[in-house]
Amino acid sequence: MTGAFVAGVGISRFGKRLPGSIWTLGRTAIIDAMADADIHPRQVGMLICATARSGSLIGRENGVGHLLAGDCGIRQVPIFDVKAHCASGAVAFNIASTYIAAGQCDVAVAVGLERMSNRKGKGHLLTADGMEAEGDQGFTPAAYFAMMAQQHMLTYGTTREQLAQVAVKNRLAGSLNDKAQYRQPVHLGEVLASPVVADPLGLYDCCPTGDGAAAAVLVSSRAAGRARQGGPVRVAASVLATGSYAPMPDMTAVSADSRAAAQAYQQAGLGPADVEVAEVHDAFTISELVHYEDLGFCAKGEAGALVQAGVSGLGGRLPVNPSGGLLSRGHPLGATGIAQITEIVQQLRGACGARQAGHPRVGLTQVSGGFAANEVATSGVTVLVR
Amino acid sequence: MTGAFVAGVGISRFGKRLPGSIWTLGRTAIIDAMADADIHPRQVGMLICATARSGSLIGRENGVGHLLAGDCGIRQVPIFDVKAHCASGAVAFNIASTYIAAGQCDVAVAVGLERMSNRKGKGHLLTADGMEAEGDQGFTPAAYFAMMAQQHMLTYGTTREQLAQVAVKNRLAGSLNDKAQYRQPVHLGEVLASPVVADPLGLYDCCPTGDGAAAAVLVSSRAAGRARQGGPVRVAASVLATGSYAPMPDMTAVSADSRAAAQAYQQAGLGPADVEVAEVHDAFTISELVHYEDLGFCAKGEAGALVQAGVSGLGGRLPVNPSGGLLSRGHPLGATGIAQITEIVQQLRGACGARQAGHPRVGLTQVSGGFAANEVATSGVTVLVR
């Protein structure tokens, strides 16, 4: 229980070479979120902006949030930028909920965005910030997650087809999401036949780069009464955790994620069995499977069977990534953590149309930033309750 | 009243081409602050790292805090980077105190650092991030503050000598601070005869660039009992504010600073007359004078007379920048906001030796980031009480 509520969400289209600048995308997300929350810009008490690479990608390390805020009529209040690799959005959300819990303000905007297309040179982003030396020697995220997949297959008998089913599932969901970067479903055979990126991962096992923005308006319980759209969604837990320096005891698990999840369940007074819909960090198909296990959605080693049985599909008991996830909706780094929140809020409201995942009351988001389990890894887990 | 206390502080040497990397400076500050607080790394519940230009200056936009934390034995807990131009350090401090107020942790480390020497090309940092177009046309910070000085002289009769006295005062204080970038005092005549940077500001009216790091360990009231060194210092107020888009009604005032100060005084239940020592953002000599007025240390237009009368000198009623300030201790962007905190904490403890400013019980810090009064400006004001 954090004392904060999500009163409104907004998300831009995700994709490459979209009409409009990154500033237009960011403004769209914030303005839509404020309208959704029925909040006037003058009521906003602070704004936190998440980007992972605004310096190298749009030439502005500082003041991204300031410019967006001013353009949206949010002025004079505390505004700053935060960075934590792919988990930046979760950090912004966590800060917003904490400031509300501390009574610092009644209304806070968390916005995340990134512009990754149209950049000069494609090689730079092959790896996480600060891992360039390792990346130059071939230790890219795809290579790392391929090793994780190989180990998971070896230890638990996970199959190539089970990995591919994650891609099929998320591309199907994305085909129903008009904000998604990829709108075309793919068949199992297409995934299996796609060019190998890092064995066993093929093209469809890897999330794309792209542009996009997402925003959430968080409010205190006092301000929550004013929200429309069927009432605000309660932030039952918002937790950040960082990787350990210790050698990875298990290549098939991400310790920061399981630690964050355990704390989040405790904070929410709920367990994994209570979660009815989730957005998890499917940067690669194997990531989604490993996160099922990190989050306690199944026992260790059983994630492949879970996706194969359709449990995590749109019609299943626990739909995961109904937005299409990183694999289909897309992964503009700083936007992702908040894009996950926007999807879960809309799912809890029953507002997702063709991709609506039943009638959930409890939803979870999980995002991983930096190289899993190393010193720069940050995990963010959020539990939202209708 | 924020509910947080500063239990320990640490600061590296400031300057150019110092021995050791920026990582060494950052580690030094954190480890010294933890030792000062008698806190073991395992007790630290989170770390927030402030830099303004880590991407362009050390090639790492993300994960600066993660690397420093791991090197210092701080692991698994929430860690992230924040950026708000020259006010980045104040943002990190504000976040730390807010997380403690919200009960998210009992011990938080706020660290700020920047490496500005040894960089390739000196032109890039002539202006604030995002103001490059204006900078290319000559609207650099020095030009802006020169205009502010001209207007202050015209409207209030402030003299060139009064501006120069700020530099003389702060260089004298810095000569007594073994962490300061400049240890040589300067005479009034030297300041007046120094090369003009932007009329009326000369070389000694402008702060230097340089490297440095500073850290503070913040604790909850529960954890405060464990601190040594004569007891922890209470964070009576920590406030951030942002500039307005409105045209500047008064070129000689910074609205974000006066707004932040008013809120800070209210939060602390104190007024400007209660402040006995202060660190203010003397990026230029005129900045310090204008901040006296923004902070209510004197009536509008009377700052020149204040410094001329010696009120803000080490032996005066309200010593300002006993550390030497930005003009003498130096201004590694992300470090500054926390360096100010380290000085005030040491002053409140009576631990400053030759530069000790009496026996203060109430101290204040003020930092300004981005171009004053424009859309990217952030001000941070902190009130600390022994």
Side-chain angles (χ1 to χ4, degrees):
Chain A
M1 178 65 187
T2 65
F5 294 78
V6 183
V9 290
I11 187 166
S12 75
R13 275 194 59 197
F14 278 31
K16 288 183 178 170
R17 288 171 286 282
L18 299 171
S21 70
I22 187 64
W23 305 104
T24 307
L25 299 181
R27 281 194 297 264
T28 298
I30 295 171
I31 290 169
D32 286 358
M34 290 193 297
D36 185 33
D38 201 15
I39 287 283
H40 188 276
R42 291 290 172 124
Q43 296 172 266
V44 174
M46 75 181 307
L47 181 142
I48 307 112
C49 178
T51 66
R53 292 291 192 96
S54 62
S56 57
L57 294 171
I58 59 171
R60 181 181 277 268
E61 274 189 68
N62 284 271
V64 177
H66 287 94
L67 273 188
L68 288 172
D71 288 349
C72 297
I74 300 168
R75 290 163 193 177
Q76 303 190 350
V77 299
I79 298 168
F80 49 84
D81 291 1
V82 295
K83 289 175 189 288
H85 301 277
C86 302
S88 301
V91 170
F93 187 86
N94 186 264
I95 293 173
S97 67
T98 302
Y99 273 69
I100 285 171
Q104 292 277 309
C105 62
D106 278 327
V107 181
V109 172
V111 60
L113 70 160
E114 209 83 52
R115 193 197 71 164
M116 305 176 75
S117 65
N118 305 322
R119 69 180 192 275
K120 298 168 197 148
K122 299 208 60 147
H124 183 58
L125 272 175
L126 262 178
T127 192
D129 202 13
M131 296 287 287
E132 289 79 6
E134 292 83 349
D136 286 349
Q137 297 179 53
F139 192 63
T140 61
Y144 170 75
F145 284 99
M147 290 165 66
M148 181 184 276
Q150 295 282 9
Q151 187 66 50
H152 208 276
M153 294 164 87
L154 184 69
T155 309
Y156 301 111
T158 303
T159 66
R160 175 71 188 94
E161 287 72 21
Q162 289 169 340
L163 292 171
Q165 276 165 334
V166 174
V168 172
K169 171 179 75 67
N170 293 356
R171 290 290 288 255
L172 177 62
S175 76
L176 305 171
N177 180 357
D178 63 7
K179 301 296 178 68
Q181 180 161 350
Y182 292 144
R183 303 291 313 277
Q184 297 297 320
V186 293
H187 301 296
L188 192 66
E190 292 175 274
V191 181
L192 296 174
S194 69
V196 172
V197 173
D199 186 32
L201 305 177
L203 187 62
Y204 293 122
D205 293 275
C206 307
C207 73
T209 60
D211 309 345
V217 175
L218 287 84
V219 301
S220 65
S221 55
R222 180 168 39 174
R226 289 198 295 271
R228 61 182 182 188
Q229 290 279 3
V233 166
R234 185 164 60 86
V235 184
S238 173
V239 172
L240 303 175
T242 292
S244 169
Y245 265 56
M248 288 179 77
D250 181 354
M251 176 92 199
T252 67
V254 181
S255 65
D257 286 312
S258 49
R259 199 162 47 244
Q263 290 176 27
Y265 290 134
Q266 186 179 24
Q267 201 173 95
L270 296 169
D274 297 309
V275 178
E276 294 164 292
V277 62
E279 289 273 310
V280 312
H281 196 77
D282 58 327
F284 299 90
T285 50
I286 183 63
S287 328
E288 179 166 323
L289 295 185
V290 163
H291 295 322
Y292 290 175
E293 297 166 2
D294 295 331
L295 295 165
F297 292 169
C298 61
K300 188 68 204 164
E302 294 181 5
L306 195 84
V307 71
Q308 188 169 9
V311 171
S312 55
L314 270 182
R317 174 177 57 77
L318 171 48
V320 175
N321 287 324
S323 71
L326 284 63
L327 288 168
S328 185
R329 183 200 56 226
H331 183 31
L333 311 175
T336 292
I338 299 176
Q340 295 179 323
I341 299 281
T342 68
E343 179 68 14
I344 295 298
V345 167
Q346 296 286 33
Q347 289 285 346
L348 295 177
R349 289 169 170 174
C352 287
R355 70 178 194 282
Q356 178 63 40
H359 306 284
R361 293 182 59 85
V362 177
L364 177 147
T365 71
Q366 171 270 328
V367 66
S368 285
F371 256 78
N374 85 343
E375 72 271 26
V376 296
T378 289
S379 293
V381 173
T382 311
V383 179
L384 299 170
V385 175
R386 175 160 56 93
Chain B
M1 178 66 186
T2 67
F5 294 77
V6 183
V9 291
I11 186 165
S12 74
R13 276 194 57 198
F14 279 31
K16 289 183 177 171
R17 289 170 286 282
L18 299 171
S21 70
I22 186 64
W23 306 104
T24 306
L25 300 180
R27 281 193 297 265
T28 299
I30 294 172
I31 289 169
D32 287 357
M34 291 192 298
D36 186 33
D38 201 15
I39 287 282
H40 188 275
R42 291 290 171 122
Q43 297 172 265
V44 174
M46 74 181 306
L47 182 141
I48 307 112
C49 178
T51 67
R53 292 291 191 96
S54 62
S56 58
L57 294 171
I58 59 172
R60 183 181 276 269
E61 273 189 71
N62 284 270
V64 177
H66 287 94
L67 273 187
L68 289 171
D71 288 350
C72 296
I74 300 168
R75 290 161 193 177
Q76 303 189 350
V77 300
I79 299 167
F80 50 84
D81 291 1
V82 295
K83 288 175 190 288
H85 301 277
C86 302
S88 301
V91 170
F93 186 87
N94 185 264
I95 293 174
S97 68
T98 302
Y99 273 69
I100 286 171
Q104 292 276 309
C105 62
D106 278 326
V107 180
V109 172
V111 59
L113 69 160
E114 209 84 52
R115 193 196 71 163
M116 304 175 76
S117 65
N118 304 322
R119 69 179 192 275
K120 298 169 195 146
K122 300 206 59 145
H124 184 58
L125 273 175
L126 262 178
T127 191
D129 202 12
M131 296 287 287
E132 290 79 6
E134 292 84 348
D136 287 348
Q137 297 180 52
F139 191 63
T140 62
Y144 170 74
F145 284 98
M147 288 165 66
M148 182 185 276
Q150 295 283 10
Q151 187 66 48
H152 207 276
M153 294 164 87
L154 184 70
T155 309
Y156 301 110
T158 304
T159 66
R160 176 71 187 96
E161 287 70 23
Q162 289 169 339
L163 292 172
Q165 275 165 333
V166 174
V168 171
K169 171 180 74 70
N170 294 356
R171 290 289 289 254
L172 177 62
S175 75
L176 305 170
N177 180 358
D178 62 8
K179 303 294 178 71
Q181 179 161 352
Y182 292 145
R183 303 290 314 277
Q184 298 297 320
V186 293
H187 301 295
L188 192 66
E190 292 175 273
V191 181
L192 296 174
S194 69
V196 172
V197 173
D199 186 33
L201 305 178
L203 187 62
Y204 293 122
D205 294 275
C206 308
C207 72
T209 60
D211 308 345
V217 174
L218 287 84
V219 300
S220 65
S221 55
R222 180 166 40 173
R226 290 197 295 270
R228 62 182 181 189
Q229 292 278 2
V233 166
R234 184 163 62 86
V235 183
S238 173
V239 172
L240 303 175
T242 293
S244 168
Y245 265 55
M248 289 178 76
D250 181 354
M251 176 95 201
T252 67
V254 181
S255 65
D257 286 312
S258 49
R259 198 160 49 242
Q263 290 176 29
Y265 289 134
Q266 186 179 23
Q267 201 173 95
L270 296 169
D274 298 307
V275 177
E276 293 163 293
V277 62
E279 289 273 310
V280 312
H281 196 77
D282 59 326
F284 300 90
T285 50
I286 181 63
S287 328
E288 179 165 324
L289 295 186
V290 163
H291 295 323
Y292 291 174
E293 298 165 1
D294 295 331
L295 296 165
F297 292 168
C298 62
K300 189 67 203 164
E302 293 180 7
L306 195 83
V307 72
Q308 187 168 9
V311 172
S312 54
L314 270 181
R317 175 178 55 78
L318 170 49
V320 174
N321 288 324
S323 71
L326 285 63
L327 287 168
S328 185
R329 183 199 57 226
H331 183 30
L333 311 175
T336 292
I338 299 176
Q340 295 179 324
I341 299 282
T342 69
E343 179 68 14
I344 294 298
V345 167
Q346 296 286 34
Q347 288 285 346
L348 295 177
R349 289 169 170 173
C352 287
R355 70 178 193 282
Q356 179 63 40
H359 307 283
R361 295 182 57 86
V362 177
L364 177 147
T365 71
Q366 171 270 327
V367 65
S368 285
F371 257 78
N374 85 342
E375 71 272 26
V376 297
T378 290
S379 292
V381 173
T382 311
V383 179
L384 299 170
V385 175
R386 175 160 58 91

